[in-house]
């Protein structure tokens, strides 16, 4: 890759002071856009003078809107809780994530801003991308599709599942790279080995929705696959992405990131771990001080790759009990719904663990009835509510700790 082709555009290498000045200059207009055109933000920002928000200090005084609040906001004011400036019929897509949470996608090229991350990892026009993110209800598949199209890449819209067909397709069509979760890539590679297929065309992988520990990255490297990770959400699109420097994740050019003390809107000291808050410059879905529920920290300095934007250390856990299992969010409210549908159950706790490269869920419920019929019924409800399979284990009434924890994520990564 020559130097002229190293960066997506000149925005990536501008002086940090210039970027900060430009973003802050755009902030009053975006806050005014949210306040005047999105009824929900009209209420949230009722006491805010948009023209006065011209610094990070002023931004830090604005109310926080939490991802965990979207379910209730959208239930009260469908479909988007009054946080979107567009009518449903004017959009390109309306997506549904577990919760349920609804997300808008407006018309236009690379709406979710994935081209920059794909370019950083080495994808160029004329190459072929094997996309295993879901195209069903959730926006992940379309996120990568839009970014690849903006770069001039062709896409195999593989989606999730059908492991044998995934491996056979890669062997037949010889894509240059993979996008999806890291665990599914390993499953496909293992299936290819089992079937004696040549999957060596895969040279790079952009992974997300799951942690990407060094052990997994090294295992891919041994197979000739250069793995990169990115941090994105269904609400915001791209937030930050890894570059060849391998030092943290570089922030996207169209978001303003704050790290705050969990449960508050108060910025933490530089380098301190806190919750990721994002202000987006998306006109259709102008999320202002949007709390993702994820933990991270700012990494000091600038990247050796030449990109000068803020870097974060990547995903460092959850600031609340909401967690991701196999790339899908699971909310405490969903576990409460499972218990509500089975009145014979007492307290419940979802234990999220990991076996090999696969996430597992076990719902531990207090119940005097431990029969197979109830076990099967609760497991069916768990899958219906979360869209994920899990085991159900009954314990004696009063056996679960009285600590208010509904989701216990005990996964560890090397």
């Amino acid at each position: 890759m020559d130097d002229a082709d190293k960066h997506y555009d000149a925005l990536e290498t501008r002086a940090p002071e210039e970027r900060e000045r430009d973003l802050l200059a755009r902030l009053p207009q975006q806050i005014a856009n949210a306040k005047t055109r999105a009824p929900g933000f009209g209420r949230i920002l009722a006491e805010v003078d948009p023209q006065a928000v011209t610094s990070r200090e002023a931004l830090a005084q604005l109310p926080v809107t939490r991802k965990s609040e979207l379910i209730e906001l959208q239930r009260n004011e469908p479909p988007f809780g009054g946080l979107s400036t567009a009518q449903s019929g004017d959009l390109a897509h309306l997506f549904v994530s577990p919760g349920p949470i609804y997300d808008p996608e407006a018309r236009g090229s690379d709406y979710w801003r994935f081209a920059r991350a794909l370019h950083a990892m080495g994808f160029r026009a004329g190459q072929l991308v094997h996309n295993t993110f879901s195209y069903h209800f959730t926006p992940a598949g379309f996120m990568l599709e839009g970014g690849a199209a903006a770069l001039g890449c062709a896409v195999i819209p593989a989606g999730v599942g059908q492991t044998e067909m995934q491996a056979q397709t890669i062997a037949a069509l010889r894509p240059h790279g993979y996008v999806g979760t890291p665990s599914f890539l390993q499953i496909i590679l293992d299936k290819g080995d089992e079937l004696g297929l040549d999957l060596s065309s895969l040279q790079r992988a952009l992974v997300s929705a799951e942690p990407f520990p060094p052990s997994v990255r090294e295992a891919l490297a041994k197979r000739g696959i250069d793995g990169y990770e990115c941090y994105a959400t269904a609400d915001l699109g791209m937030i930050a992405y890894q570059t060849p420097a391998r030092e943290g994740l570089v922030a996207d050019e169209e978001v303003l990131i704050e790290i705050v003390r969990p449960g508050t809107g108060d910025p933490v000291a530089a380098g301190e771990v806190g919750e990721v808050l994002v202000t987006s410059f998306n006109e259709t879905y102008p999320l202002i001080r949007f709390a993702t529920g994820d933990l991270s920290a700012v990494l000091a300095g600038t990247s050796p790759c030449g990109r000068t934007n803020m870097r974060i250390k990547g995903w460092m856990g959850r600031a609340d009990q909401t967690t991701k299992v196999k790339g899908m969010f699971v909310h405490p409210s969903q576990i409460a719904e499972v218990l509500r549908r089975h009145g014979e159950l007492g307290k419940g706790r979802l234990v999220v663990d990991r076996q090999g490269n696969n996430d597992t869920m076990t719902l531990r419920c207090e119940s005097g009835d431990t029969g197979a019929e109830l076990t099967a019924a609760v497991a069916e409800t768990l899958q219906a509510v979360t869209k994920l399979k899990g085991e159900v284990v009954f314990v004696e009434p009063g056996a679960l700790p009285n600590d208010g924890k509904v989701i216990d994520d005990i996964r560890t990564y090397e």
Side-chain angles (χ1 to χ4, degrees):
M1 186 188 309
D2 59 42
D3 288 343
D5 197 35
K6 188 184 298 183
H7 302 113
Y8 184 68
D9 58 25
L11 295 178
E12 295 183 347
T13 56
R14 55 185 164 164
E17 299 80 10
E18 178 186 352
R19 177 183 295 103
E20 186 78 352
R21 184 172 62 249
D22 288 350
L23 289 176
L24 292 176
R26 295 169 61 190
L27 199 51
Q29 180 179 348
Q30 179 67 331
I31 293 172
N33 172 52
K35 182 176 180 178
T36 59
R37 298 180 60 208
F41 276 120
R43 294 185 290 272
I44 293 169
L45 303 173
E47 305 302 318
V48 175
D49 175 8
Q51 300 309 311
V53 187
T54 57
S55 67
R56 283 184 177 266
E57 292 73 20
L59 179 64
Q61 302 305 310
L62 270 56
V64 172
T65 299
R66 300 190 175 280
K67 185 180 182 78
S68 57
E69 299 169 348
L70 288 183
I71 296 173
E72 187 66 23
L73 287 171
Q74 294 183 352
R75 182 181 296 122
N76 293 335
E77 191 171 358
F80 305 119
L83 305 185
S84 174
T85 63
Q87 298 298 313
S88 295
D90 295 327
L91 298 168
H93 297 103
L94 285 76
F95 294 106
V96 186
S97 298
I101 293 175
Y102 304 105
D103 293 297
E105 178 188 0
R107 305 179 194 281
S109 174
D110 196 21
Y111 173 84
W112 303 98
R113 308 179 313 282
F114 266 72
R116 195 178 295 280
L118 289 166
H119 185 277
M121 64 172 286
F123 270 115
R124 297 295 183 268
Q127 295 183 334
L128 180 58
V129 183
H130 190 81
N131 184 8
T132 69
F133 279 117
S134 176
Y135 285 80
H136 182 65
F137 278 121
T138 61
F142 291 88
M143 288 179 170
L144 273 301
E145 177 94 15
L151 286 182
C153 296
V155 176
I156 302 170
V160 297
Q162 296 181 287
T163 307
E164 185 169 324
M165 188 173 180
Q166 299 271 2
Q168 291 171 339
T169 300
I170 293 171
L173 299 183
R174 312 294 291 169
H176 297 85
Y178 164 98
V179 293
T181 64
S183 61
F184 192 42
L185 175 55
Q186 189 60 60
I187 290 169
I188 292 172
L189 293 171
D190 290 344
K191 177 59 70 172
D193 291 343
E194 177 188 325
L195 298 174
L197 298 174
D198 178 7
L199 307 187
S200 63
S201 68
L202 296 179
Q203 301 170 7
R204 56 187 62 91
L206 180 65
V207 300
S208 191
E210 293 176 353
F212 188 42
S215 59
V216 176
R217 193 182 78 193
E218 290 164 7
L220 293 179
K222 290 178 180 178
R223 303 189 65 131
I225 300 173
D226 203 10
Y228 295 82
E229 63 180 316
C230 67
Y231 172 41
T233 73
D235 327 275
L236 295 156
M238 181 60 65
I239 299 173
Y241 57 95
Q242 195 171 44
T243 76
R246 306 283 187 190
E247 292 186 8
L249 306 182
V250 176
D252 182 71
E253 296 292 332
E254 287 295 313
V255 297
L256 200 158
I257 297 174
E258 301 172 85
I259 306 294
V260 304
R261 199 164 306 285
T264 76
D266 303 328
V268 300
E272 185 177 341
V273 176
E275 184 174 12
V276 178
L277 256 63
V278 178
T279 294
S280 167
F281 289 92
N282 181 328
E283 292 185 6
T284 302
Y285 205 28
L287 297 174
I288 308 296
R289 300 205 84 205
F290 186 72
T292 63
D294 293 320
L295 296 174
S296 193
V298 172
L299 192 62
T302 57
S303 174
C305 72
R307 293 169 179 83
T308 57
N309 207 344
M310 172 195 288
R311 295 178 298 166
I312 60 175
K313 292 184 178 180
W315 186 83
M316 301 177 70
R318 293 292 296 170
D320 59 22
Q321 291 183 42
T322 299
T323 192
K324 272 184 178 178
V325 181
K326 298 181 180 178
M328 304 281 280
F329 278 108
V330 180
H331 304 273
S333 60
Q334 292 174 294
I335 307 309
E337 176 62 15
V338 174
L339 300 175
R340 186 192 67 77
R341 295 187 188 185
H342 298 276
E344 60 270 60
L345 301 179
K347 289 194 300 183
R349 172 181 300 214
L350 186 73
V351 179
V352 181
D353 203 351
R354 195 166 175 85
Q355 293 182 357
N357 289 319
N358 295 317
D359 295 333
T360 63
M361 298 195 316
T362 302
L363 181 60
R364 299 173 61 82
C365 307
E366 294 183 353
S367 177
D369 180 355
T370 60
E373 185 174 344
L374 180 59
T375 301
V378 175
E380 183 178 349
T381 302
L382 178 65
Q383 183 175 358
V385 172
T386 67
K387 312 306 181 191
L388 295 163
K389 291 183 180 179
E391 182 181 5
V392 174
V393 174
F394 293 121
V395 298
E396 292 294 326
L400 293 178
N402 186 26
D403 58 7
K405 187 173 285 189
V406 178
I407 299 177
D408 189 11
D409 191 340
I410 62 173
R411 290 173 291 189
T412 59
Y413 302 92
E414 298 175 8

